């Protein structure tokens, strides 16, 4: 299946530091989405990057996509304690079916 | 707008019992999805619907049935619950089936089967 695989599985940093999470996938995609899940909550959409884009920014988020390596990265700059959550990538194929990986658990210490 | 709501929030069942999880969305979305989330497994798609009156199987459909009689509601049924169905269940919806659509998730239902 087209499941995204996030790396690392867990990341622990201090407030103010940058956090980088990586995602790899297996086959061609139309786009790739990133979601965040706070503990005990549903997933929330963060950002979408299309297959013809290489980089996209949204506030403190920066997403890159390398279709030749079938990989994406999510960078959160100047992290805050409120960024503590699980982050999932979801490669999207021809229609709206998303396939989520296991996620990266990010802990930001005040 | 309430977005996507799920009922109930928690439930404990005994093996062999049945139950129905209700998902409701007020965004007039066409597509709706049921996922289950287990530790170390990420989210896995159980069933989905591309519109009122339609349903389709996802990645892990066995042991579950679904119905979409009204556009705003998507029901997930467990006819004979098994301990392997202990999980957190999430419903989601999206406007259409386009790959650029954002999926909007409910808060989840935590189900324990003893």
């Amino acid at each position: 299946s087209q499941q995204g695989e996030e790396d690392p599985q867990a990341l622990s940093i201090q407030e103010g530091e940058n956090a980088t999470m990586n995602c790899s996938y297996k086959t061609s995609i139309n786009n790739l989405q990133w979601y965040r899940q706070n503990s005990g909550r549903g997933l929330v959409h963060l950002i979408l990057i299309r297959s013809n884009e290489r980089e996209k920014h949204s506030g403190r988020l920066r997403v890159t996509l390398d279709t030749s390596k079938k990989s994406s990265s999510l960078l959160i700059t100047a992290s805050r304690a409120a960024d503590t959550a699980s982050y999932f990538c979801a490669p999207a194929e021809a229609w709206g079916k998303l396939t989520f990986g296991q996620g990266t658990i990010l802990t930001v210490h005040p | 707008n309430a977005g996507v709501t799920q009922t109930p929030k928690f439930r404990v069942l005994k093996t062999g019992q049945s139950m129905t999880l209700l998902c409701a969305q007020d965004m007039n979305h066409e597509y709706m999805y049921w996922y289950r989330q287990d530790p170390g497994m990420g989210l896995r798609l159980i069933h989905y619907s591309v519109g009122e009156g339609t349903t389709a199987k996802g990645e892990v459909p066995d042991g579950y049935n679904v119905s979409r009689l009204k556009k705003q509601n998507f029901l997930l049924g467990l006819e004979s619950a098994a301990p392997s169905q202990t999980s957190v269940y999430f419903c989601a919806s999206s406007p259409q089936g386009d790959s650029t659509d954002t999926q909007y998730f409910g808060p989840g239902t935590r189900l324990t089967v003893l």
Side-chain angles (χ1 to χ4, degrees), chain A residues 30-31 33 35 37 40-43 45 48 50 88 92-93 95-96 98 100-102, chain B residues 31 33 35 37 40-43 45 48 90 97-103 105-107:
Chain A
N30 274 27
N31 65 68
Q33 303 186 28
Y35 285 76
Q37 182 181 33
R41 301 286 190 92
L43 278 70
H45 176 82
L48 176 150
R50 298 174 188 267
F88 296 86
E93 298 176 57
W95 66 277
L98 301 179
F100 296 89
Q102 297 180 27
Chain B
Y31 279 57
Y33 315 81
Y35 295 90
Q37 184 176 32
M41 300 290 289
L43 276 81
L45 183 64
Y48 63 97
F90 288 99
D98 190 272
S99 66
T100 59
D101 274 358
T102 297
Q103 290 192 15
F105 282 79

Side-chain angles (χ1 to χ4, degrees), chain A residues 14-88:
Chain A
Q14 295 295 126
E15 212 165 27
E17 295 180 339
N18 295 342
T20 299
M21 289 156 270
N22 302 297
C23 169
S24 60
Y25 56 91
K26 293 192 174 104
T27 63
S28 297
I29 59 171
N30 274 27
N31 65 68
L32 187 141
Q33 303 186 28
W34 284 90
Y35 285 76
R36 182 186 73 211
Q37 182 181 33
N38 289 90
S39 181
R41 301 286 190 92
L43 278 70
V44 175
H45 176 82
L46 290 176
I47 193 167
L48 176 150
I49 186 164
R50 298 174 188 267
S51 59
N52 61 355
E53 296 176 315
R54 291 295 168 259
E55 187 170 313
K56 197 163 182 180
H57 296 254
S58 176
R60 294 185 296 112
L61 305 180
R62 174 180 165 247
V63 170
T64 63
L65 180 64
D66 186 335
T67 53
S68 66
K69 294 182 180 178
K70 294 185 171 59
S71 67
S72 174
S73 67
L74 171 67
L75 168 68
I76 303 174
T77 60
S79 63
R80 305 166 181 167
D83 294 327
T84 293
S86 294
Y87 291 82
F88 296 86

